[in-house]
Amino acid sequence: MADSSSSLPSLFEKISYKRYFLRAVDLTMLGLLFSLLLYRILHMSQNDNVWVVAFLCESFFTFIWLLITCIKWNPAEYKPYPDRLDERVHELPSVDMFVTTADPVREPPILVVNTVLSLLAVNYPANKLACYVSDDGCSPLTYFSLKEASKFAKIWVPFCKKYNVRVRAPFRYFLNSLDATEDSEFSRDWEMTKREYEKLSRKVEDATRDWDADDDFEAFSNTRPNDHSTIVKVVWENKGGAGIENEVPHFVYLSREKRPNYLHHYKAGAMNFLVRVSGLMTNAPYMLNVDCDMFVNEADAVRQAMCIFLQKSKNLINHCAFVQYPQDFYDSNCEELVVLQSHLSRGFAGIQGAIYSGSGCFHTRRVMYGLSVDDLEEDGSLSSVTARKFLDEESFARKLGSSKEMRKSVANALQRKSNSQNILTNFLDEAREVGHCQYESQTSWGKTIGWLYDSTTEDVNTSIDIHSRGWTSSYIYPDQPAFLGCTPPGGPEAMAQQRRWGTGMLEVLFNKHSPLIGIFSQKLRFRQRLAYIHIFTWGLRSIPELFYCLLPAYSLLHNSALFPKGLCSGITVILVGMHCLYTLWEFMSLGFSVHSWYASQSFWRIKATCIWLFSIMDIIFKLLGVSKTVFIVTKKSFTKTRSGTGDGPSCSADTNAGKFEFDDSVYFLPGTFIVLVNLAAIGGFSMGLQRLSHIYGGGGSTFVEACAFI
């Protein structure tokens, strides 16, 4: 419990940025866009159809910039003070940590192992933590790797806490050479720990069915990734429970039942299985979920998040549903995402709260059970009406399933009680029961409870549902990244990921959680609704972008004007110049180079004109019932990087890191078409296939104008 005395300093500070100058820039660009639209309207009758198309495209771009201006108007972030926790909080709450993996080939087990080890070693009482790994690939190699990791954890966790190691993923920590030259205790421990980690790495990477003779692997016999029974293994149980430094938290391996004829809802289904099993075993009031490649880079990350949840504040104690950290990366190809998070995510945080971005997020368990702010009393306790609604036996079975133990677990969770003293192995049968394919049938799982289905981007789908129930969220942007992951290799892998994101956003735009509906029935704030509309319409940008890129060629071949002439041409010049300088400043203010900015802008054009076009096709086929969207697991590359001190940007040892690979992928067809059409137009014009505009005395597009735009 937290001390509620108002005389004590706050556990966190909300930092709001006024950004008056940037507001003026945003409004100036918005004014220029409207001026361009007005000019086109006034001169529409004097020009041909190319102006109509240009007007429609620019109207969409103006709408997008209006939404961006709305989002970035008053950005904010939260600065936690974890050093104040000890004097304010008498007993820290329990936290369940979730890791999801689905394919041992695309997601190497050694990567999963490092993520798990970093979670087990965070600066938090071990008796208050439990780590659950969901393996949707049902891989004996993954389970073997995690068993070996649990043995190394008994060395790694005490080492990290004894010497206050900041980077707690061993593959990153041991990239740095040992600074100590003397024969100190730290040097000996460092060398011993490194040797043990290297043994672990070799065992994992060289494993060739070393587990066949082990009875513990009998459950994996005759299994396939899409056809197997539920497997629940308690890899390590912390029976000490004293929270001392040499303890290792609970560690559980899960693989839910899969059958070929059942829809398993990909990552969202795995997350809901994790919620149920963890509810039976430990039932912590807070849950952290990370992707299998997203290791802990800040040992106090859990304590920082607890500062937000535990602060006795009239607004936040009842209303903060989740705390989101930025997604940062230790390899290349991440500049654009970092910039988007820095500016747009802070913008979200200044309204109703940051969006849930799928990893590095702390959730409140009872919120994930479908509670809204109206279900709580003023002191944060459950109202009597809500208690009856949730805990009535018939109502519970209809909402959360038929498990009696699950009913007890939910009752405790709604009252913010954990099961920290439970013996985990006593709940193996119940855990297998809630992992059956049919358990969610005719229940509210994935509809109003847990992670929501009906979209390949389960994170934003769940996020908007939480905000629509009146909850807020917080965004912590620490000086050093709290979590670090790896980006997919540049090229088709990155494009497949962008396609999935674009498709998933459009799915939410057209499902029952769309920000376009429920204006009067939902508790989603107006500006937050506009912000969600912005990200959900990313995929729709491909149509106006594609047409706009083809307009110069059309104008050149048909001798028609595309942009304003004379003094009014300054509108276009100033607008383009301001946008380039603005986006360049956004990159350079975060320490990125001009080259990074240029590469990011180029990749954005590829996304907008190529990848998201496929997202639109996916959603059209889904709405017509022709096909369903498919969740493709992103390939994780386990690159060895030189991290220096671990504080600054990493330096990749891979010579191809940061490079974008072009191949014969179908994703590049729209972009190739645009380039060929524009080159053909320039070539045709220069060879005299189109007479120059001044011969006819018209106001047509000039060769220089067309080349400059192309």
Side-chain angles (χ1 to χ4, degrees), residues 530-542:
L530 294 180
Y532 273 115
I533 290 174
H534 169 64
I535 63 171
F536 291 158
T537 54
W538 276 357
L540 296 180
R541 292 187 60 167
S542 60

Side-chain angles (χ1 to χ4, degrees), residues 585-606:
W585 171 83
E586 287 182 328
F587 273 76
M588 298 191 71
S589 65
L590 295 175
F592 295 121
S593 64
V594 176
H595 178 267
S596 296
W597 165 78
Y598 178 78
S600 178
Q601 294 299 302
S602 300
F603 184 52
W604 182 269
R605 298 280 75 76
I606 295 174

Side-chain angles (χ1 to χ4, degrees), residues 320-365:
C320 183
F322 62 87
V323 175
Q324 178 67 58
Y325 282 89
Q327 291 193 27
D328 290 288
F329 304 91
Y330 57 84
D331 54 3
S332 303
N333 303 323
C334 61
E335 293 88 348
E336 181 188 2
L337 182 58
V338 172
V339 172
L340 283 174
Q341 290 182 137
S342 175
H343 299 288
L344 288 185
S345 295
R346 281 180 169 138
F348 270 93
I351 311 174
Q352 192 172 345
I355 62 171
Y356 166 42
S357 57
S359 182
C361 186
F362 289 82
H363 298 271
T364 306
R365 182 180 291 272

Side-chain angles (χ1 to χ4, degrees), residues 118-408:
S118 71
L119 290 170
L120 296 176
V122 295
N123 280 344
Y124 207 76
N127 61 328
K128 297 291 184 178
L129 294 174
C131 181
Y132 296 84
V133 179
S134 169
D135 177 20
D136 260 7
C138 191
S139 167
L141 174 59
T142 300
Y143 178 56
F144 170 80
S145 303
L146 294 175
K147 282 192 68 174
E148 295 299 319
S150 69
K151 301 173 185 176
F152 175 70
K154 298 168 188 175
I155 300 173
W156 175 246
V157 172
F159 173 79
C160 290
K161 294 187 175 181
K162 179 179 180 180
Y163 297 108
N164 196 26
V165 173
R166 190 182 66 79
V167 179
R168 308 231 163 163
F171 89 104
R172 289 284 291 172
Y173 176 73
F174 289 119
L175 290 173
N176 304 315
S177 58
L178 183 62
D179 294 332
T181 56
E182 58 187 54
D183 186 23
S184 63
E185 181 183 6
F186 170 73
S187 300
R188 293 191 295 272
D189 288 347
W190 190 94
E191 293 287 355
M192 182 273 294
T193 307
K194 183 179 182 182
R195 284 195 304 270
E196 293 300 320
Y197 174 69
E198 289 172 347
K199 290 180 183 177
L200 169 65
S201 298
R202 286 194 297 269
K203 281 185 177 180
V204 172
E205 294 174 355
D206 299 338
T208 54
R209 305 198 65 84
D210 296 340
W211 51 81
D212 281 343
D214 192 337
D215 293 339
D216 195 27
F217 288 82
E218 185 178 354
F220 294 93
S221 302
N222 302 317
T223 60
R224 290 180 294 174
N226 66 338
D227 190 6
H228 61 85
S229 300
T230 302
I231 300 175
V232 181
K233 299 281 189 180
V234 178
V235 182
W236 169 256
E237 184 169 5
N238 178 19
K239 297 181 180 179
I244 57 179
E245 286 189 351
N246 62 351
E247 285 184 10
V248 177
H250 297 312
F251 183 17
V252 183
Y253 170 91
L254 313 169
S255 186
R256 58 189 170 132
E257 181 185 26
K258 281 191 174 183
R259 300 302 176 194
N261 297 326
Y262 283 87
L263 182 62
H264 302 98
H265 303 291
Y266 312 112
K267 181 180 176 182
M271 292 302 301
N272 286 336
F273 178 47
L274 284 165
V275 171
R276 294 194 293 271
V277 174
S278 64
L280 291 169
M281 291 186 170
T282 48
N283 206 28
Y286 303 105
M287 306 174 292
L288 163 65
N289 92 275
V290 297
D291 289 340
C292 66
D293 63 310
M294 195 70 65
F295 67 85
V296 179
N297 189 62
E298 170 54 67
D300 281 327
V302 180
R303 294 170 61 86
Q304 290 176 356
M306 291 304 108
C307 289
I308 307 295
F309 288 124
L310 300 180
Q311 174 63 41
K312 290 287 185 180
S313 167
K314 184 182 298 183
N315 294 326
L316 282 179
I317 188 63
N318 295 333
H319 296 166
C320 183
F322 62 87
V323 175
Q324 178 67 58
Y325 282 89
Q327 291 193 27
D328 290 288
F329 304 91
Y330 57 84
D331 54 3
S332 303
N333 303 323
C334 61
E335 293 88 348
E336 181 188 2
L337 182 58
V338 172
V339 172
L340 283 174
Q341 290 182 137
S342 175
H343 299 288
L344 288 185
S345 295
R346 281 180 169 138
F348 270 93
I351 311 174
Q352 192 172 345
I355 62 171
Y356 166 42
S357 57
S359 182
C361 186
F362 289 82
H363 298 271
T364 306
R365 182 180 291 272
R366 62 179 187 165
V367 172
M368 300 308 290
Y369 285 147
L371 286 184
S372 69
V373 294
D374 294 335
D375 295 325
L376 302 178
E377 302 287 359
E378 291 184 0
D379 61 354
S381 62
L382 204 64
S383 67
S384 57
V385 175
T386 303
R388 287 194 300 270
K389 179 179 69 174
F390 267 85
L391 302 180
D392 173 73
E393 187 171 352
E394 182 179 347
S395 174
F396 180 89
R398 188 168 57 251
K399 285 178 174 291
L400 292 122
S402 57
S403 172
K404 294 182 179 179
E405 289 297 330
M406 191 70 201
R407 183 166 177 247
K408 296 178 183 177

Side-chain angles (χ1 to χ4, degrees), residues 3 42 195 201 264 273 421 495 579 597 605 610 630:
D3 193 328
L42 295 176
R195 284 195 304 270
S201 298
H264 302 98
F273 178 47
Q421 302 302 317
M495 299 183 83
H579 184 265
W597 165 78
R605 298 280 75 76
C610 301
V630 178

Side-chain angles (χ1 to χ4, degrees), residues 32 35-36 39 43 51 563-575 705:
L32 289 171
S35 299
L36 181 59
Y39 183 90
H43 296 80
W51 272 52
F563 297 109
K565 296 296 183 181
L567 292 176
C568 293
S569 63
I571 297 176
T572 308
V573 174
I574 295 173
L575 187 59
E705 182 188 66

